[in-house]
Amino acid sequence: MKAIEYAEASQEVRAIFDDIKSSRNVPDVNNFWKYLANDPRMLDHVWSSLKDVMGAGGHLDPAVKELIYIAVSITNGCAYCQASHTAAARKKGVSDEMLQELYAIVGLANMTNRLAIAYRVPLDEDPGAAK
């Protein structure tokens, strides 16, 4: 696969690229979108989903949404998504201290999750009672 640049893109892909650039106020789309453009159906689906879920609507603050995305990206080992969403989080006011706290939480959650899995710990009858 190769990146699909704007000049070589179909009209369908160009329209999506234009929407991404306009929505994000950027001069060009980043590589993720250029590679997804190899399958215009997926490009459209992922962009529409991202706008819907990560947009200003919903019950979570946009910075919190970015922090969650970073946490999942760390756990999944996706350096590309971690870098992209860290940049987006910074634009939404996330500080170095907030990121460091997030990293500590992700590390701790991964450790305790793996321990619970290893020990095959059964669910408590009332998970809220142990707090």
Side-chain angles (χ1 to χ4, degrees):
M1 296 287 161
K2 68 180 190 98
I4 305 296
E5 298 296 335
Y6 190 87
E8 62 195 38
S10 68
Q11 289 300 323
E12 177 185 13
V13 168
R14 284 183 182 191
I16 298 166
F17 280 4
D18 287 340
D19 188 33
I20 294 168
K21 292 189 297 186
S22 172
S23 296
R24 292 187 163 176
N25 195 26
V26 292
D28 195 12
V29 299
N30 44 358
N31 286 335
F32 179 74
W33 303 112
K34 291 176 182 180
Y35 276 81
L36 273 184
N38 283 284
D39 183 347
R41 179 184 60 88
M42 283 306 296
L43 174 67
D44 182 53
H45 172 71
V46 174
W47 173 240
S48 295
S49 297
L50 191 107
K51 282 193 310 183
D52 182 44
V53 174
M54 297 299 288
H59 301 284
L60 294 173
D61 179 89
V64 171
K65 291 179 184 184
E66 294 297 345
L67 289 170
I68 294 168
Y69 215 109
I70 294 165
V72 173
S73 298
I74 292 167
T75 298
N76 286 335
C78 184
Y80 187 92
C81 291
Q82 182 182 349
S84 175
H85 287 275
T86 296
R90 289 186 184 285
K91 288 181 182 176
K92 292 178 173 96
V94 171
S95 66
D96 284 343
E97 294 78 14
M98 293 168 78
L99 287 169
Q100 290 168 9
E101 187 172 351
L102 173 72
Y103 300 159
I105 293 167
V106 170
L108 180 62
N110 275 295
M111 178 184 67
T112 58
N113 284 190
R114 294 296 176 202
L115 288 169
I117 291 166
Y119 283 104
R120 297 184 180 145
V121 179
L123 292 177
D124 296 300
E125 286 186 34
D126 182 2
K131 293 182 182 179

